[in-house]
């Protein structure tokens, strides 16, 4: 890089641009003029790293989500197969991961599912109970009225029409878009 008389040149080096495409890096050389204004050089070099498959740089916005659905299918099947009272709560970490990966058109449904299950989990945990052994028809004698009402409200929330529809929507999305059920 040559310098013009009276114009100092400062190279800023390499800058990694992180955003929608984290695998892109940009090399930027900038010159600072005498009056302190920064002027970008004319050339920007954009390099896609070989990690494109890992970064999910596909044109398909559902690819990452569908991969997660497929990756979690066996685990969800094992967690939900016993159909115990705590099966959905055991699956909550998987549901949270799927929510994080969800494409925009199903995100709200995942939010309803995860928020509802989280509220029930928090209510049971706050009461010092184990979801696997909790029986709403025969609650522990030392369970406070406040804790019992909180658990009942959280459980009732999961049976509201919007929650039932959200559970159905995330299952249907997995079958229709990802061509695989959430669990077997």
């Amino acid at each position: 890089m040559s310098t013009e008389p009276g114009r100092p040149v400062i190279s800023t080096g390499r800058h990694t641009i992180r955003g929608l495409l984290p695998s892109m890096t940009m090399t930027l050389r900038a010159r600072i003029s005498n009056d302190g204004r920064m002027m970008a050089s004319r050339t920007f070099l954009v390099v896609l790293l070989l990690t494109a498959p890992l970064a999910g740089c596909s044109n398909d916005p559902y690819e990452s989500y569908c991969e997660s659905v497929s990756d979690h299918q066996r685990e969800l099947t094992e967690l939900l197969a016993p159909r115990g009272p705590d099966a959905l709560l055991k699956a909550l970490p998987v549901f949270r991961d799927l929510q994080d990966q969800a494409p925009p058109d199903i995100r709200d449904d995942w939010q309803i599912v995860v928020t509802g299950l989280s509220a029930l989990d928090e209510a049971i945990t706050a009461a010092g109970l184990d979801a696997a052994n909790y029986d709403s028809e025969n609650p522990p004698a030392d369970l406070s009225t406040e804790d019992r009402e909180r658990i009942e409200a959280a459980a009732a929330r999961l049976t509201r029409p919007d929650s039932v529809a959200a559970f159905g929507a995330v299952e249907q999305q997995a079958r229709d878009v990802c061509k695989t059920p959430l669990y077997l």
Side-chain angles (χ1 to χ4, degrees), residues 88 95 106 109-110 112-114 116-117 157-173 175 182-183:
L88 287 173
F95 292 155
I106 198 74
D109 293 306
W110 271 116
I112 292 168
V113 168
V114 169
L117 288 173
R157 182 177 180 185
L158 292 171
T159 61
R160 290 189 331 208
D162 64 328
S163 292
V164 172
F167 275 98
V170 297
E171 288 184 56
Q172 192 67 45
Q173 172 88 350
R175 283 192 303 271
L182 283 175
Y183 54 92

Side-chain angles (χ1 to χ4, degrees), residues 108-125:
D108 289 344
D109 293 306
W110 271 116
Q111 179 68 33
I112 292 168
V113 168
V114 169
T115 300
L117 288 173
S118 294
L120 179 60
D121 187 45
E122 290 167 11
I124 290 172
T125 301

Side-chain angles (χ1 to χ4, degrees), residues 67-84:
E67 285 176 11
S68 289
V69 168
S70 181
D71 291 347
H72 287 303
Q73 186 183 53
R74 172 168 283 159
E75 182 181 7
L76 276 174
T77 300
E78 291 169 3
L79 291 169
L80 299 175
R83 299 191 186 274

Side-chain angles (χ1 to χ4, degrees), residues 4-5 10 17 19 27 62 68 77-78 81 85 89 95-96 110 112 118-119 142 144 146 148-149 174 180 182:
E4 298 173 19
I10 300 172
I17 306 300
T27 301
Y62 299 94
S68 289
T77 300
E78 291 169 3
L89 296 180
F95 292 155
R96 285 185 178 127
W110 271 116
I112 292 168
S118 294
D142 61 342
S144 73
E146 181 182 327
R148 184 181 50 76
E149 288 174 353
T180 185
L182 283 175

Side-chain angles (χ1 to χ4, degrees), residues 23 26 31 38 40 42 47 52 54-55 73 86 92 102-103 105 107 121 124 133 182:
S23 65
M26 182 178 291
R31 289 185 283 171
M38 186 175 191
R42 291 182 209 141
V47 179
L54 297 176
Q73 186 183 53
D86 62 339
L92 188 54
D105 64 330
R107 231 175 252 151
D121 187 45
I124 290 172
N133 299 319
L182 283 175

